[in-house]
Amino acid sequence: MSDLDLTRFSINQMTVKQLTLPELATACRELGVPAVGLWRTPVQEYGVEAAARLVRDAGLTVTTLCRGGFLTAVDADERAAALADNRRAVDEAATLGTDTLVLVSGGLPPGAKDLRAARERIADALTELAPYAEDHGVKLAIEPLHPMFASDRCVVSTLTQALDLAERFPAHQVGVTVDTYHIWWDDTAPEAIARAGVQNRIHTFQLADWITPLPEGVLNGRGQIGDGAIDMRQWQGYVEAAGYTGSIEVELFNEDLWARDGRQLLAETARRWAENVEV
Amino acid sequence: MSDLDLTRFSINQMTVKQLTLPELATACRELGVPAVGLWRTPVQEYGVEAAARLVRDAGLTVTTLCRGGFLTAVDADERAAALADNRRAVDEAATLGTDTLVLVSGGLPPGAKDLRAARERIADALTELAPYAEDHGVKLAIEPLHPMFASDRCVVSTLTQALDLAERFPAHQVGVTVDTYHIWWDDTAPEAIARAGVQNRIHTFQLADWITPLPEGVLNGRGQIGDGAIDMRQWQGYVEAAGYTGSIEVELFNEDLWARDGRQLLAETARRWAENVEV
């Protein structure tokens, strides 16, 4: 891949989840991929300290850790457990050497119908988590998820909602994740990106393409960059006009892609990234 | 069902599509259901004039005809064909005796990535269609569809976007469809409903509940009223505070419901409706 400028490319571990962490590190080194976004479960399985050593020895930057969150519980014990788990996520991010923990807020509790109240519980939880994160050198990045996840995964559906939450805290504690997959349909998102940029709250910028038909459960239907309906350069333009200069991470969940050879998929993803962003 | 006040209930034909049109008319009469929303394809198969006679003889009000739209084509021939088809839809609505034609705007043409340009083509098309509809006593009701349909079915994803289009025309020509399924996640929708109400642009109010997991293709995953995450009374409150006093139509697309006995499903839907709205 020596013909490509991958300086700002980051591969999210989930995109190539068929690779073990050592396989991922090796493939990144051989293909010239400089950065990775990591996920907690595979990192925990490998061992957090060992994973930190592995990526450090491979010369990889860790752009993000995915993910904390799921902070909408009403039950006091569940809420306490979620907060404890999020503090562990902050610890893991610090150990891995990344300053960005992505938060997926959580859906409605069983039987609940009040999205606004659920969002308020997230704000409550952040009051405890944000200072803890700051103490560990970690910023929280609230990720709005596509409205099709509003009931079961994330009650924060737009960048504006994410910013409304983030703005209750200092920008170095809480910002947002801008992921094309979740916001591409939203004609108010460019304005929200500008607002986030002025406040230095764009903590990470992620790409996935929108393809249809969506699979059952809709979680694993993200398209390879360039295969779908999203104009990546346009969204890159919005975040860069808002002052974002960091990595551009590709995060795909897709059963068809996962069925393929992981190293080849990583190479394809790097090439698609380079073809679809302005480097 | 004589214990229920169904005065404002309307059953959309698709909810019980296992029933033929005569079966639907008979079941409505027997169950005390006063109104139906009809769909073009089954009506055309039965014959538009014959369908009009059937529902008139059964004493049924036709609240809406679904649907016109699909107005995003770039190709001149495709655009002309879409306009001609929409004029036929207006004619059919007039024949059936309803004053409301629901419009599903259409998705992105193959390979296109520009949602804004697609929305402008809808506005262009409405410039031709809206006066034609007025001449036939029919109002067009732009339906924002959930953002998960933005690429392949409807580039109008929010009530605000629908109103931005509708406001280019007089309210008696173009208004909006408020359907809980498509907008329930949107915290800006209540304000948009108020805006629509002031302008007399709420041309129909439809209910479906939000349940997960979504099925493959996501089209036929709408939940029976009361089974999901949507607070129906809250949305009824918004449209009524905005001055809406018309029928409240239930429109479900759901394979599990379609596999059941249609008459029993209609009875269940009427009961669920009465339990979940304020009559």
Side-chain angles (χ1 to χ4, degrees), chain A residues 148-153 214-220, chain B residues 148 181 209-224 227-229 253-256:
Chain A
M148 67 188 177
F149 297 115
S151 70
D152 60 355
R153 192 166 293 268
L214 291 162
E216 185 183 355
V218 305
L219 188 59
N220 300 328
Chain B
M148 68 188 176
Y181 189 76
D209 215 336
W210 181 268
I211 57 172
T212 57
L214 291 161
E216 184 181 356
V218 305
L219 188 59
N220 300 329
R222 302 192 192 189
Q224 177 60 280
D227 279 353
F253 304 170
N254 184 304
E255 299 289 352
D256 292 336

Side-chain angles (χ1 to χ4, degrees), chain A residues 248-278:
Chain A
I248 303 176
E249 188 175 319
V250 177
E251 184 186 50
L252 311 178
F253 304 170
N254 184 304
E255 299 288 350
D256 293 336
L257 299 180
W258 289 333
R260 291 171 42 190
D261 174 76
R263 195 181 181 288
Q264 186 203 52
L265 173 60
L266 177 55
E268 175 189 280
T269 304
R271 190 165 293 281
R272 289 296 191 90
W273 180 92
E275 287 167 1
N276 285 278
V277 304
E278 200 80 53

Side-chain angles (χ1 to χ4, degrees), chain A residues 108 113 115 119 146-148 150-152 157-158 161 184-185 187 210 212-218 226 228-231, chain B residues 108 113 115 119 146-148 150-152 157-158 161 184-185 187 209-210 212-218 226 228-231:
Chain A
L108 289 170
K113 297 177 195 259
L115 291 169
R119 292 186 198 116
H146 191 285
M148 67 188 177
S151 70
D152 60 355
S157 301
T158 64
Q161 289 171 354
W184 77 281
W185 57 271
D187 58 356
W210 181 269
T212 56
L214 291 162
E216 185 183 355
V218 305
I230 305 179
D231 183 340
Chain B
L108 289 169
K113 296 177 195 258
L115 292 169
R119 292 185 198 118
H146 192 284
M148 68 188 176
S151 71
D152 61 355
S157 302
T158 64
Q161 289 171 354
W184 76 280
W185 57 272
D187 58 356
D209 215 336
W210 181 268
T212 57
L214 291 161
E216 184 181 356
V218 305
I230 305 178
D231 183 339

Side-chain angles (χ1 to χ4, degrees), chain B residues 2-66:
Chain B
S2 58
D3 56 324
L4 303 179
D5 179 356
L6 298 178
T7 314
R8 292 181 65 200
F9 177 56
S10 175
I11 185 75
N12 188 283
Q13 180 174 18
M14 275 298 265
T15 306
V16 286
K17 75 165 185 176
Q18 60 270 61
L19 296 178
T20 65
L21 205 47
E23 287 169 349
L24 175 62
T26 301
C28 283
R29 204 177 46 235
E30 290 175 4
L31 294 168
V33 173
V36 292
L38 296 176
W39 273 68
R40 293 185 67 199
T41 303
V43 163
Q44 288 167 350
E45 284 164 6
Y46 189 78
V48 181
E49 294 281 356
R53 265 195 312 278
L54 180 77
V55 294
R56 200 167 50 236
D57 291 349
L60 288 167
T61 300
V62 182
T63 47
T64 59
L65 179 65
C66 298

Side-chain angles (χ1 to χ4, degrees), chain A residues 46-154:
Chain A
Y46 189 77
V48 181
E49 294 280 357
R53 266 196 311 277
L54 180 78
V55 294
R56 199 166 51 236
D57 292 349
L60 288 167
T61 300
V62 181
T63 47
T64 58
L65 180 64
C66 299
R67 57 187 203 238
F70 296 91
L71 298 167
T72 53
V74 173
D75 177 83
D77 289 345
E78 283 180 42
R79 181 171 184 279
L83 282 168
D85 187 56
N86 275 274
R87 282 190 288 270
R88 278 193 298 276
V90 168
D91 298 343
E92 292 165 10
T95 301
L96 293 166
T98 179
D99 65 356
T100 304
L101 176 65
V102 174
L103 296 188
V104 172
S105 298
L108 289 170
K113 297 177 195 259
D114 191 339
L115 291 169
R116 185 181 302 265
R119 292 186 198 116
E120 282 306 308
R121 290 196 295 279
I122 298 164
D124 273 356
L126 291 178
T127 305
E128 298 190 32
L129 274 182
Y132 183 86
E134 180 180 5
D135 289 346
H136 292 75
V138 173
K139 297 177 289 187
L140 305 175
I142 301 172
E143 181 165 22
L145 256 54
H146 191 285
M148 67 188 177
F149 297 115
S151 70
D152 60 355
R153 192 166 293 268
C154 186

